[in-house]
Amino acid sequence: MFRRGNKLYLEHVNPKQHDTLVCLPTLNEEASIAHMITAVQYEGLPLVVCDGFSTDQTTRIAEEMGVSVIKRSALGKGSAVQKTIEYALAEGYTFLAFIDCDGTYMPRDLQFILEQRHSMDMVVGKRPFEKITILRRMANYVMNRWFNYLFKARILDVVSGMRVIRLAKFKGRVTAEDFDVDHQMAAIAVASSMRIQEIPIDYQKRLGDSKIRLKHLFMILRAMWRDSRHLKK
């Protein structure tokens, strides 16, 4: 362990000890990055931060805590997913886990998701919607209903920010560059008849400022329609 300020942190995990890499996509997450890194490392999982041009102390904190930081080519979360898939494949991992870095998701829940990874192609953390603010709950309801109508699916939490994917199944297939990437991974899985499982997880109030705006809801709904035309089951 090492000390930063008045807190103790775990040393960097040996990536060769696990078949799953965890990615924290970041953009100005200095309020939550240390907490999230500590929580992931406590689970004994290899970790990388994929940053989108943060202007605060996010990357400095991550590097001081011994975590590799890779830069994505564009601001959007989808760019982080694309970049980290390439990185994880090059490093020889079989699975890749994504967790939003805003403190709403509990890295301890990864243990329940990872238990199912070998028999599944994608495992998604299903949030308790009663813990989501009313406006976001309504937005999630609309997105879930629209997605399931378009893809004739039964996914309960399409845009969850915690999921694990089997890398070989998604190699070269993710094209979304923004917040539409979560539903696109679900769309790819459904359209390809992949094995999908949702696991109930915890959820809490975010740390720092949200990057999601109303415009992103309409962008995601349009992107769902787009993907439903291009991805054939």
Side-chain angles (χ1 to χ4, degrees), residues 5-215:
N6 62 351
K7 294 184 179 181
L8 287 174
Y9 298 103
L10 297 176
E11 293 287 358
H12 182 60
V13 177
N14 182 352
K16 302 304 181 184
Q17 296 177 348
H18 210 285
D19 63 0
T20 304
L21 176 67
V22 178
C23 172
L24 295 175
T26 58
L27 173 61
N28 295 331
E29 301 287 1
E30 66 179 5
S32 58
I33 186 68
H35 164 75
M36 293 298 292
I37 288 174
T38 302
V40 173
Q41 290 182 334
Y42 184 82
E43 300 301 320
L45 297 168
L47 171 66
V48 67
V49 166
C50 190
D51 188 68
F53 309 101
S54 290
T55 57
D56 62 3
Q57 300 300 309
T58 298
T59 57
R60 182 182 67 82
I61 294 171
E63 289 168 348
E64 287 184 0
M65 295 179 69
V67 176
S68 297
V69 177
I70 57 179
K71 303 291 186 179
R72 55 193 195 245
S73 58
L75 285 173
K77 181 180 178 180
S79 295
V81 172
Q82 293 180 42
K83 183 71 174 181
T84 314
I85 287 175
E86 294 175 2
Y87 177 88
L89 284 166
E91 293 295 314
Y93 289 98
T94 304
F95 301 94
L96 178 59
F98 293 99
I99 312 177
D100 284 354
C101 194
D102 56 10
T104 55
Y105 296 87
M106 306 293 98
R108 64 173 178 264
D109 287 332
L110 279 173
Q111 61 179 308
F112 306 114
I113 292 178
L114 293 181
E115 285 177 356
Q116 308 301 321
R117 71 189 186 280
H118 291 295
S119 59
M120 295 290 149
D121 299 311
M122 184 173 73
V123 186
V124 179
K126 180 194 172 298
R127 296 167 292 174
F129 282 178
E130 65 273 13
K131 289 191 175 183
I132 301 176
T133 59
I134 184 64
L135 291 178
R136 293 183 183 275
R137 195 184 314 166
M138 292 170 61
N140 276 271
Y141 175 82
V142 171
M143 289 186 286
N144 288 334
R145 290 294 298 268
W146 182 233
F147 178 92
N148 287 322
Y149 169 75
L150 290 173
F151 290 91
K152 297 179 174 58
R154 294 182 179 179
I155 306 297
L156 300 177
D157 195 354
V158 172
V159 296
S160 171
M162 176 183 281
R163 70 186 64 219
V164 177
I165 62 172
R166 185 181 297 272
L167 285 162
K169 296 284 188 175
F170 290 84
K171 179 181 179 181
R173 302 190 66 185
V174 177
T175 59
E177 295 187 347
D178 208 333
F179 289 115
D180 52 336
V181 71
D182 291 316
H183 94 262
Q184 190 182 72
M185 285 188 282
I188 291 169
V190 170
S192 302
S193 299
M194 293 186 197
R195 297 164 296 176
I196 306 168
Q197 185 170 357
E198 293 182 280
I199 303 292
I201 60 172
D202 198 4
Y203 193 78
Q204 64 181 22
K205 185 178 179 180
R206 68 165 289 124
L207 302 173
D209 297 326
S210 174
K211 314 299 186 302
I212 297 288
R213 300 291 182 268
L214 181 61
K215 66 179 182 180

